[in-house]
Amino acid sequence: MDSKFYVSLEAAKLLKEKGYNEETDCTIDYTGAIWFGEYRDDCDFPCITKAEAMDWLEGKGWQFSILCADNYNLYEYIVYFENEHISGYRETMLEAQDAAIISVLEKL
């Protein structure tokens, strides 16, 4: 699978810090390189897809919305939790997903 579908190194570090401990098929090392199917001592962070990360966070009550903001050629992310929301803009849908994940993880 293409690495663009996986969370960034920053998100992977935050996932580990916030308690994500599910088994993964790959790991991310300190340089951001993804290692599939092999264990490496220097690969210390979970490598999961952005969809898996959002699903894990949705299990904690967060709701994600990624929208195309046509007027600006940008993608807007909006994340809701109870009476709180986080939002922002990025150039691509995949960047918006990663930014939304990071924003939520920083709040946990």
Side-chain angles (χ1 to χ4, degrees), residues 77 79 86 89-90 94-104:
Y77 63 88
V79 189
I86 304 166
Y89 293 91
R90 294 295 185 271
L94 295 171
E95 290 171 355
Q97 289 172 334
D98 203 61
I101 292 164
I102 290 168
S103 296
V104 170

Side-chain angles (χ1 to χ4, degrees), residues 67 72-73 76:
L67 309 165
Y72 305 105
N73 292 326
E76 180 180 18

